[in-house]
Amino acid sequence: MTADSWRNLIEHIGLLYQEYRDKSTREEIETRRLQDSQTDPEETSPSEETPSEAEPTSTIENKAPPQINLLRNSNSRFNLWQDLPEVQSSGVLSILQPDEIKLQEAMFELVTSEASYYKSLNLLVSHFMENERLKKILHQSEAHILFSNVLDVMAVSERFLLDLEQRVEENIVISDVCDIVYQHTVNHFSVYITYVSNQTYQERAYKQLLQDKPAFREVISQLELDPKCKGLSFSSFLILPFQRITRLKLLVQNILKKVEEKSDRESTALDAHKELETVVKACNEGVRKMSRTEQMISIQKKLEFKIKSVPIISHSRWLLKQGELQQMNGPKTSRTLRTKKLFREIYLFLFNDLLVICRQIPGDKYQVFDSAPRGLLRVEELEDQGQSLANVFILRLLENADDREASYMLKASSQSEMKRWMISLAPNRRTKFVSFTSRLVDCPQIQCVHPYVAQQPDELSLELADVLNILDKTDDGWIFGERLHDQERGWFPSSMGEEILNPKIRAQNLKECFRVHKSDDSQRRKLGSRNRQ
């Protein structure tokens, strides 16, 4: 492919990255829905062998190319790699196996989506950041917090895109892109960690500016109305780098699932994926660290110790869950009593390594009367409960603040709240269903069809098309899930997803995830252990 034809392709990309991302994830959802609705084993069984040329499916797949998440809109005449005039006129489509065509599409998507991302970044800089009216309104420090190192991020994207361009220009059939991804991730993608780690301050500064500076609010509103923005908000441009680095990892996963096993391309894809995973984790940790530090300081100020004081603030400590529960008064034999006076309110702060049990006192303060290391907690659900003892469980402290064993009978406000507390307090307790790390053949799965933003520390934020193993569920509409692509766990409303009913599709999802993470089995076992903690 010539440089001119490639530049022509870039110019014809009509979608901003936000539009591409939305379209691609919704196509992914629809593809899974279609697969899940097919019950004929011949149709749904994922092929483990490369189809031979004699199989009729090969001809069908050549005529009806696989549904790939690409930049489809009226302004772009290029939908897929195989739609490129150079590809169609070359005759390679009649030579390549269907699996290779799928792989070409996966690599081509990574390239064109980077072009779409660069186009959106450029708009963030040229249309918003460099707007003269906005420059006059913003103080230099405010502009720095709001836009952070976006110029560095854009420069890295441009350099990355140029290398991808050069690779595509070398041959109609793309040899590989993951080697380029690997090199750029190792050498340049640290700029993403800097940008994303600033996210907490960026969000806060943006809200404050909207509230305190009417002129800022007015200019942003006018800029958002410009046809260039296609109805997209300023904030959607600010979060582009975090969305892109996460999406890039998933695109490499998609390539990895399609390359031939034990090949050089598989090895390169595994290396690229491992490095991207490191960057994404560093980005997530950067965001968490900023918010966690402030949160721990705030909690420390609210606690008053009736017992020996425990230092709360620590670089290795963070909050997992907090909230009010009802503590049962009197001996255990009093469970048969049916009176609301049986319970009194207590408040729990559960950290990753410590439980603090308090009672709320005037002035938004909490008086601590017991504590225990999290590793010395055990929980037990009560059976045959009457109505007044519904959602009650027993919490045992094997060694409390007085160096003795203590038991608390606690009542939650709902079944989901009870289960959430029990899983948080005792993470090694067996869940209703199996986890990804068990490597069993089948397990309930759900696909996210509505994005969800976590509201509590024990919840999991979801992106469209995320696939999760269901570890537990409640009768009042909550699911405890483990996302397949990164093994992150948490609770979310069941209304956010659709259960995957076809066992063959579930098995294929698991098989693909095992392959993506097979480069380091020991690392996965460590990851599973850390997630349970």
Side-chain angles (χ1 to χ4, degrees):
M1 187 184 297
T2 65
D4 286 341
S5 62
W6 173 250
R7 277 193 290 271
N8 188 41
L9 167 63
I10 298 299
E11 288 170 5
H12 277 77
I13 288 177
L15 295 181
L16 292 173
Y17 186 72
Q18 298 96 312
E19 297 173 295
Y20 150 76
R21 190 169 175 272
D22 183 60
K23 282 179 176 288
S24 65
T25 50
R26 293 196 181 280
E27 280 186 16
E28 199 173 334
I29 289 169
E30 290 304 321
T31 299
R32 285 207 193 97
R33 279 174 175 164
L34 180 62
Q35 291 172 337
D36 198 36
S37 67
Q38 296 172 341
T39 55
D40 186 338
E42 293 299 320
E43 294 180 31
T44 58
S45 179
S47 173
E48 298 191 10
E49 302 288 335
T50 302
S52 66
E53 292 182 31
E55 289 178 336
T57 52
S58 297
T59 307
I60 293 170
E61 288 196 53
N62 271 323
K63 290 182 180 178
Q67 295 297 306
I68 306 295
N69 316 328
L70 273 178
L71 311 170
R72 305 178 181 198
N73 91 339
S74 57
N75 296 325
S76 177
R77 61 188 181 92
F78 301 116
N79 298 326
L80 299 165
W81 169 80
Q82 55 201 299
D83 289 337
L84 293 170
E86 292 84 357
V87 173
Q88 291 186 340
S89 62
S90 69
V92 296
L93 293 176
S94 61
I95 300 171
L96 296 178
Q97 289 289 319
D99 285 351
E100 179 63 31
I101 293 175
K102 291 178 181 180
L103 176 57
Q104 290 294 313
E105 298 293 6
M107 291 191 290
F108 188 66
E109 179 183 5
L110 187 147
V111 177
T112 52
S113 64
E114 186 66 28
S116 176
Y117 166 63
Y118 179 76
K119 179 176 182 174
S120 289
L121 274 184
N122 189 53
L123 192 58
L124 171 61
V125 171
S126 62
H127 187 62
F128 291 98
M129 181 179 173
E130 295 179 350
N131 180 269
E132 291 301 326
R133 289 177 63 197
L134 206 56
K135 282 182 179 180
K136 292 176 182 178
I137 294 169
L138 293 175
H139 188 272
Q140 189 174 356
S141 61
E142 293 171 331
H144 178 70
I145 295 173
L146 201 57
F147 295 103
S148 189
N149 64 327
V150 69
L151 291 176
D152 295 335
V153 173
M154 192 168 82
V156 164
S157 175
E158 183 175 8
R159 189 183 299 122
F160 182 41
L161 185 56
L162 286 170
D163 284 351
L164 292 172
E165 282 183 34
Q166 186 176 352
R167 178 61 54 82
V168 173
E169 290 167 10
E170 288 174 1
N171 199 305
I172 290 171
V173 179
I174 306 168
S175 59
D176 198 0
V177 293
C178 288
D179 57 329
I180 297 174
V181 174
Y182 173 81
Q183 291 295 336
H184 281 263
T185 306
V186 170
N187 297 319
H188 306 299
F189 281 6
S190 60
V191 297
Y192 281 95
I193 301 172
T194 304
Y195 186 93
V196 175
S197 297
N198 182 56
Q199 186 176 313
T200 301
Y201 298 121
Q202 184 188 63
E203 290 175 353
R204 187 180 303 159
Y206 181 49
K207 290 178 182 176
Q208 199 68 43
L209 286 167
L210 288 175
Q211 181 179 324
D212 297 344
K213 293 191 173 184
F216 172 81
R217 187 168 62 245
E218 182 185 347
V219 171
I220 289 295
S221 297
Q222 289 175 358
L223 292 174
E224 287 175 336
L225 291 173
D226 192 295
K228 293 178 187 176
C229 295
K230 299 187 176 182
L232 296 164
S233 68
F234 173 55
S235 57
S236 77
F237 286 91
L238 289 177
I239 62 172
L240 283 170
F242 185 46
Q243 290 180 334
R244 179 55 182 172
I245 197 67
T246 307
R247 184 70 180 171
L248 196 56
K249 189 188 85 165
L250 297 180
L251 291 171
V252 170
Q253 280 189 10
N254 193 34
I255 292 171
L256 182 52
K257 295 168 188 175
K258 293 174 171 59
V259 295
E260 55 276 23
E261 293 197 47
K262 298 180 180 178
S263 65
D264 289 342
R265 289 197 291 192
E266 182 189 53
S267 177
T268 308
L270 284 168
D271 289 343
H273 180 267
K274 184 178 179 181
E275 293 301 328
L276 279 169
E277 202 162 45
T278 301
V279 172
V280 170
K281 285 178 181 176
C283 287
N284 286 328
E285 201 55 40
V287 173
R288 289 169 182 161
K289 187 176 180 181
M290 296 292 186
S291 56
R292 282 171 177 171
T293 302
E294 294 183 350
Q295 187 178 47
M296 296 300 288
I297 293 171
S298 174
I299 292 172
Q300 174 81 67
K301 291 177 179 177
K302 293 180 180 180
L303 298 182
E304 294 183 0
F305 285 83
K306 187 177 180 182
I307 56 172
K308 183 180 178 181
S309 179
V310 177
I312 295 297
I313 299 175
S314 167
H315 290 299
S316 60
R317 178 174 294 153
W318 60 88
L319 183 71
L320 292 179
K321 190 169 178 63
Q322 71 178 75
E324 188 177 271
L325 290 168
Q326 303 290 319
Q327 180 195 359
M328 176 181 177
N329 292 317
K332 201 170 181 179
T333 52
S334 301
R335 277 188 280 168
T336 55
L337 298 177
R338 300 290 188 266
T339 169
K340 292 183 179 179
K341 293 181 181 179
L342 187 63
F343 296 96
R344 63 181 300 185
E345 295 174 353
I346 63 170
Y347 201 93
L348 272 58
F349 289 95
L350 177 65
F351 305 99
N352 61 309
D353 61 347
L354 176 72
L355 172 68
V356 175
I357 306 177
C358 322
R359 288 194 178 90
Q360 192 163 8
I361 57 178
D364 194 26
K365 297 279 187 177
Y366 299 89
Q367 187 180 64
V368 180
F369 65 88
D370 210 350
S371 66
R374 186 171 174 233
L376 298 179
L377 304 178
R378 300 293 183 269
V379 293
E380 175 190 344
E381 186 174 353
L382 295 184
E383 298 178 1
D384 302 324
Q385 303 166 11
Q387 186 176 356
S388 65
L389 290 179
N391 309 319
V392 172
F393 66 97
I394 296 172
L395 169 64
R396 287 197 300 127
L397 283 55
L398 300 184
E399 186 178 302
N400 72 349
D402 297 326
D403 297 324
R404 61 182 178 82
E405 185 172 327
S407 292
Y408 295 90
M409 187 175 292
L410 304 174
K411 180 180 175 67
S413 59
S414 64
Q415 185 198 45
S416 60
E417 192 63 15
M418 178 189 71
K419 284 199 171 189
R420 286 170 68 164
W421 270 111
M422 291 178 73
I423 287 176
S424 295
L425 289 162
N428 294 321
R429 182 175 175 271
R430 186 179 177 86
T431 54
K432 186 174 182 180
F433 304 109
V434 298
S435 72
F436 167 82
T437 50
S438 70
R439 297 184 68 93
L440 292 188
V441 175
D442 196 16
C443 151
Q445 288 178 5
I446 192 168
Q447 172 180 221
C448 172
V449 295
H450 303 290
Y452 180 69
V453 178
Q455 305 298 310
Q456 300 292 335
D458 65 336
E459 293 179 10
L460 184 64
S461 292
L462 301 178
E463 298 284 353
L464 286 172
D466 278 350
V467 176
L468 305 97
N469 274 356
I470 297 174
L471 304 185
D472 213 331
K473 57 170 68 174
T474 68
D475 296 336
D476 53 354
W478 285 85
I479 288 176
F480 183 56
E482 181 179 53
R483 188 163 44 218
L484 292 190
H485 77 73
D486 60 6
Q487 287 84 66
E488 288 286 332
R489 291 180 173 191
W491 290 90
F492 55 90
S494 58
S495 57
M496 296 298 107
E498 294 174 354
E499 194 160 343
I500 298 173
L501 302 176
N502 192 319
K504 290 183 171 58
I505 301 304
R506 295 198 297 266
Q508 179 68 7
N509 290 338
L510 284 177
K511 179 185 173 184
E512 289 175 348
C513 278
F514 291 144
R515 185 179 179 192
V516 165
H517 295 280
K518 77 174 184 179
S519 60
D520 194 343
D521 278 345
S522 63
Q523 184 64 33
R524 181 171 61 246
R525 285 194 292 272
K526 289 177 186 176
L527 177 64
S529 173
R530 186 165 65 250
N531 281 334
R532 285 192 294 274
Q533 294 170 10

